[in-house]
Amino acid sequence: MISNTFGWIGRKTIRFFAHVTNISYLGWDILYWIFVGPWVGRPLRWRNVIQEMDDLGARSFPLIGTMSVSLGTVIIVIIGPQFQAFGIPDYVPELVTVFLVRELSPLLTGVVLAGRVGSMVTARLGTMVTDDEVLALEVMAIEPVEYLMVPKFIATVVMLPCLTILADLIGMTTSLIIATFGLDLPFQSYLDGVLGACTLTDVTFSLFKSVIFGIVIILVSCYQGVNTEGGAEEVGSATMVSVVTCTISVILLNGFMTIMFYL
Amino acid sequence: MIRVQGLSKTFGNLKVLDDLSLTCSKGEITAIIGGSGGGKSTFLKMLVGAVKPDSGEIWVDGSPIHALEDLALNDVRRKMGVLFQQAALFKSITVAENVALPLVENTDLDESVVAIIVKMKLDQVGLSDFDQYLPSQLSSGMQRLVGLARAIALDPKIVLYDAPTAGLDPIAASAISKLIKDLNQVLGITSILVTHDIMGAVEIADHMALMYQGRILHQGSPEELLASPEPSVRQFMHGDPDGPIQFRKSREEYEKALFEEAQ
Ligand SMILES: Nc1ncnc2c1ncn2[C@@H]1O[C@H](COP(=O)(O)OP(=O)(O)OP(=O)(O)O)[C@@H](O)[C@H]1O
Ligand SMILES: [Mg+2]
């Protein structure tokens, strides 16, 4: 029984590291095509990149916007009255800013994109593999990594920080409006508080996190997609695994990076 | 031109190819016939280096496919066109863009020239009116025709056809057979034709090979195979359900399997 459990853990661990190794190889391959490819006659496909930015990023905007409005509202509604009751309303803008910019915006934007990118990319690539389309690319002497994955990679890694900033702005604006009109905190001093609290370090840290999330999300999604074998059933389960893995990775990485930041 | 020697491939515990050897001469049409699930498509995929053999050698136009790395492999692949059994068109781009893809990716031709070539190739397969359709808007037979147009877009020296006439009406099927023959005679394209359409193959092939249990059971000119006294060849060429080649397990084996199932 005990040896069984250890065997199970051992096998899982080995599989996990095998996946991590393969994913890093994929990452190196993609970096090669981004930074070396253009010098050896394989220019980046900007048209596809823009297409993917639209598909994977811009279309997430309504979701991100809704989420940020709700987030900004909830935070200010919870924190504001509490601090007012303690007689320290000056700390409200600072706390809201730290929470939103450093933590919640990057985390939740990452989670939203993990769902979107994880499902779209894995399902698309998985279908292409099971329909022999990837094979057809290889046979036409087209590199699938360069043709299919590089545009998606660039799009995700660029769009995620952009969406995070948008989420920050929308969340902060919402909280500012509610603080002014709902909680009678003076507009000017709240705004000053926000601007004072929102340091360059905060913004950089939040963008750094979202870049890391983007890299992990797109690599996992591509990896799951191209390693699909079989048919529709397998594409479905690969997509599910991809979304779950991306989401969990974002959550764990966020915790890890925040702890490292404060240590 | 194409020579394979002692090719073996096992998927799981299913032996698909078992010490298969075959030579296809330059400028000839070699037709491969054989039972469904007999490994013919797998064999074609091996010839382009898309599936690696467990053992054996594959020589195409003097290059050892079994030993080549990706870059060198691509040089050989540019000389080859492949029509996949499921067409393997890219679902997100139009028919014209599909046919244009190998040209855009592998040549420096001007857009207008590419457009003309695409028009010509689509005309050859009788689909010039469908250039702006998406693959999903075509029937599966038409998709295969587009796949054929794409396979010959680069004017390759070697073309591999996987069931080009399957699912086509008799008129379209014989038109395609004629196209394959024309390409072979006018441009000297070396062709390998995998098909279940025995009579179509007999008409155009220079050489025929019957694949059974992962190896070439019998080969020769179409006339030789038609006249062969060998029972298994006769059975296959004339489509007889009874004979040495079994479609189902024998009655005894079947009863035994049922009995075992019940226990
Ligand atoms: N990637 C794979 N993984 C596992 N098994 C496979 C794979 N590809 C093919 N096979 C198996 O290999 C066998 C041969 O398949 P293949 O597609 O080559 O047959 P085929 O001769 O082309 O059949 P058909 O005439 O029906 O097209 C089948 O039993 C199939 O299940
Ligand atoms: Mg087949």
Side-chain angles (χ1 to χ4, degrees):
Chain A
M1 179 66 207
I2 285 177
S3 75
N4 258 348
T5 314
F6 277 116
W8 184 82
I9 293 175
R11 277 194 301 279
K12 285 281 171 193
T13 316
I14 290 170
R15 278 238 325 253
F16 174 76
F17 281 107
H19 283 314
V20 171
T21 318
N22 291 337
I23 290 179
S24 357
Y25 278 130
L26 184 62
W28 282 118
D29 233 15
I30 291 178
L31 289 181
Y32 172 86
W33 288 112
I34 293 178
F35 293 107
V36 185
W39 305 102
V40 295
R42 283 277 159 204
L44 291 173
R45 300 166 188 274
W46 290 113
R47 253 186 42 189
N48 296 20
V49 172
I50 292 180
Q51 172 86 44
E52 298 288 352
M53 281 180 167
D54 184 39
D55 268 8
L56 300 176
R59 283 166 199 230
S60 316
F61 179 71
L63 188 52
I64 306 267
T66 315
M67 181 198 78
S68 305
V69 168
S70 144
L71 214 57
T73 311
V74 168
I75 291 190
I76 189 78
V77 164
I78 290 174
I79 293 177
Q82 299 277 349
F83 277 38
Q84 278 174 318
F86 282 117
I88 44 170
D90 289 353
Y91 287 105
V92 175
E94 188 172 336
L95 196 64
V96 170
T97 308
V98 167
F99 251 119
L100 270 183
V101 174
R102 233 184 249 171
E103 279 305 305
L104 293 177
S105 287
L107 173 65
L108 290 177
T109 312
V111 168
V112 167
L113 272 248
R116 261 188 91 89
V117 175
S119 55
M120 271 176 89
V121 169
T122 307
R124 266 200 226 156
L125 290 182
T127 317
M128 295 190 76
V129 170
T130 54
D131 287 355
D132 278 350
E133 287 175 45
V134 172
L135 214 78
L137 274 183
E138 286 179 7
V139 169
M140 284 188 264
I142 302 170
E143 205 54 57
V145 171
E146 182 252 345
Y147 184 76
L148 295 174
M149 297 183 207
V150 167
K152 292 179 172 40
F153 182 90
I154 299 178
T156 310
V157 174
V158 171
M159 284 315 272
L160 192 46
C162 293
L163 287 169
T164 305
I165 293 197
L166 271 174
D168 285 339
L169 288 176
I170 296 173
M172 301 307 292
T173 312
T174 312
S175 69
L176 179 63
I177 291 171
I178 294 190
T180 317
F181 295 106
L183 300 175
D184 290 330
L185 293 167
F187 177 81
Q188 194 57 46
S189 73
Y190 190 92
L191 186 61
D192 289 343
V194 168
L195 294 179
C198 189
T199 62
L200 189 62
T201 326
D202 286 332
V203 178
T204 318
F205 179 55
S206 128
L207 291 187
F208 173 74
K209 283 209 289 198
S210 53
V211 168
I212 299 286
F213 294 161
I215 294 176
V216 171
I217 290 172
I218 192 65
L219 286 182
V220 169
S221 315
C222 286
Y223 177 74
Q224 287 293 343
V226 292
N227 285 300
T228 310
E229 270 176 23
E233 181 96 1
E234 285 79 5
V235 173
S237 51
T239 305
M240 188 272 291
V241 171
S242 169
V243 171
V244 172
T245 314
C246 289
T247 312
I248 290 184
S249 308
V250 166
I251 293 171
L252 290 182
L253 278 170
N254 183 65
F256 176 75
M257 285 192 282
T258 301
I259 292 169
M260 294 307 283
F261 183 74
Y262 280 99
L263 277 181
Chain B
M1 192 69 165
I2 297 176
R3 187 166 63 81
V4 301
Q5 192 76 51
L7 219 52
S8 295
K9 180 75 187 178
T10 309
F11 286 117
N13 47 21
L14 181 71
K15 202 156 195 152
V16 179
L17 297 185
D18 182 12
D19 194 22
L20 181 144
S21 301
L22 181 67
T23 305
C24 309
S25 329
K26 188 168 180 149
E28 283 197 347
I29 299 179
T30 305
I32 299 178
I33 56 175
S36 300
K40 302 180 300 296
S41 300
T42 309
F43 173 66
L44 287 193
K45 287 175 188 171
M46 276 182 189
L47 291 183
V48 285
V51 173
K52 295 278 173 226
D54 296 338
S55 63
E57 294 183 358
I58 305 165
W59 295 84
V60 174
D61 202 17
S63 311
I65 300 290
H66 55 281
L68 288 184
E69 291 298 324
D70 279 351
L71 267 182
L73 203 51
N74 281 347
D75 287 335
V76 188
R77 283 170 171 170
R78 288 196 189 92
K79 299 183 217 164
M80 308 172 88
V82 184
L83 166 62
F84 287 93
Q85 192 164 14
Q86 293 133 4
L89 301 176
F90 299 104
K91 307 288 187 297
S92 52
I93 56 180
T94 64
V95 163
E97 286 168 325
N98 264 290
V99 180
L101 191 63
L103 293 159
V104 174
E105 293 296 324
N106 289 308
T107 66
D108 296 325
L109 294 175
D110 203 61
E111 249 177 67
S112 54
V113 182
V114 169
I116 293 171
I117 299 180
V118 168
K119 194 103 199 137
M120 270 167 45
K121 301 290 172 186
L122 281 176
D123 191 49
Q124 282 185 313
V125 297
L127 286 181
S128 44
D129 292 341
F130 293 90
D131 54 343
Q132 292 312 316
Y133 279 59
L134 287 174
S136 55
Q137 295 166 324
L138 302 180
S139 77
S140 64
M142 290 156 90
Q143 290 185 18
R144 193 142 336 98
L145 293 177
V146 178
L148 177 55
R150 183 177 69 182
I152 57 177
L154 276 175
D155 291 329
K157 286 163 77 176
I158 302 167
V159 182
L160 314 179
Y161 305 91
D162 197 343
T165 55
L168 294 181
D169 67 78
I171 299 172
S174 52
I176 292 309
S177 288
K178 188 171 172 310
L179 174 65
I180 293 173
K181 188 73 186 168
D182 285 350
L183 288 169
N184 161 258
Q185 291 194 321
V186 179
L187 302 174
I189 295 178
T190 307
S191 314
I192 296 189
L193 170 66
V194 164
T195 186
H196 293 301
D197 173 15
I198 309 272
M199 283 312 135
V202 165
E203 256 169 53
I204 61 170
D206 300 299
H207 191 80
M208 268 179 112
L210 170 62
M211 197 163 145
Y212 181 61
Q213 291 187 334
R215 57 175 83 199
I216 302 297
L217 187 68
H218 217 84
Q219 53 180 318
S221 70
E223 294 74 31
E224 276 167 21
L225 257 73
L226 271 180
S228 167
E230 189 84 29
S232 52
V233 179
R234 278 190 67 79
Q235 186 197 353
F236 205 90
M237 296 297 286
H238 300 108
D240 193 348
D242 298 311
I245 300 178
Q246 303 259 313
F247 176 62
R248 289 185 300 198
K249 288 177 178 162
S250 72
R251 188 158 186 87
E252 265 163 56
E253 272 178 58
Y254 177 65
E255 277 166 5
K256 201 166 134 234
L258 270 189
F259 185 64
E260 274 167 12
E261 195 88 340
Q263 279 189 331

